[in-house]
Amino acid sequence: MLTIWGRANSVNVQKVLWCCDELGLAYERIDAGLQFGRNNEPGYLAMNPMGRVPTLVDGDFVLWESNSIIRYLAMQYGAEGTLYPAEPKVRASADRWLDWALSTLQPAERPLFWGYIRTSAADRDTKQLAAAASEVEKLWRVIDTHLQGRDYLEGNTFTLADLVIAAYARRWFGIVELARPSLAELERWYVGITQRPGFARHVAPALT
Ligand SMILES: N[C@@H](CCC(=O)N[C@@H](CS)C(=O)NCC(=O)O)C(=O)O
């Protein structure tokens, strides 16, 4: 049985939970982070010295960093070449989106998420939020352009690239205050992804 440490409203935890559903894996989840605490306790820090969530425990194997965790789960438990493509060029292309998500998309989107979802309207820095919204819109335009002529981000099937990018798309589409442009390719792809049970179960719930 896998153990996943982390609160269910964390996007990085959600990616791991959704990945488990895609792979049909059973797991136990233990709340940690923010109001649940535990992530700065010595026992947790011994597993994950960053004190962040998620952390995966699989027997005597412990792993942190959400995208590394989902790669591991797909390699260890997935049918070869499905969620994590086997062909090097397709795999590298999918990996590019996983790296881009953590290096570029998440840092850009984070101020928007915190500003609109975790900050009261009275306390919002509207100038900062407008600048962040403009930056994030540019990134979603990159995805929209990339999706032209494609059903999925890479290859012909749903991969970890779709899973990761959709987890952040849910946040962008879920911030009702944002004035979003109409991005037809992105919306077509996103609507298709939202039909997946793992998305509905772990990512679609209200943003908190
Ligand atoms: N790059 C790391 C980021 C981990 C991270 O920053 N997680 C956030 C939640 S999304 C966290 O632990 N926040 C502190 C907390 O929940 O107390 C990953 O992808 O796993």
Side-chain angles (χ1 to χ4, degrees), residues 7 10-12 15 32-34 39 51-54 65-67 102 106:
R7 54 191 166 80
S10 147
V11 66
N12 291 313
K15 289 185 280 183
L34 288 185
N39 52 323
R52 316 293 285 185
V53 295
E65 278 298 331
S66 58
N67 287 357
L102 286 184
Q106 182 169 30

Side-chain angles (χ1 to χ4, degrees), residues 18 32 38 72 74 77 81 95 105 108 130 135 142 154 161 171 185 192 205:
W18 181 8
R38 306 185 78 153
Y72 164 72
Y77 297 109
D95 267 335
L105 182 61
E135 280 311 302
V142 170
E154 300 299 339
R171 299 192 152 204
E185 299 296 329

Side-chain angles (χ1 to χ4, degrees), residues 101-169:
L102 286 184
S103 67
T104 305
L105 182 61
Q106 182 169 30
E109 204 168 87
R110 193 169 188 274
L112 279 189
F113 179 77
W114 274 82
Y116 283 115
I117 305 296
R118 295 191 179 153
T119 305
S120 68
D123 291 332
R124 285 178 195 149
D125 180 338
T126 49
K127 214 170 157 185
Q128 186 208 31
L129 287 174
S134 160
E135 280 311 302
V136 171
E137 184 182 313
K138 284 182 206 159
L139 301 179
W140 287 115
R141 284 186 186 279
V142 170
I143 297 283
D144 183 64
T145 302
H146 179 79
L147 281 168
Q148 280 169 21
R150 299 168 192 265
D151 289 336
Y152 296 98
L153 279 167
E154 300 299 339
N156 301 317
T157 57
F158 176 86
T159 69
L160 293 180
D162 299 288
L163 185 152
V164 165
I165 299 301
Y168 297 103

Side-chain angles (χ1 to χ4, degrees), residues 162-184:
D162 299 288
L163 185 152
V164 165
I165 299 301
Y168 297 103
R170 189 271 173 271
R171 299 192 152 204
W172 195 56
F173 285 117
I175 300 173
V176 292
E177 291 89 344
L178 281 182
R180 279 181 304 276
S182 174
L183 300 177

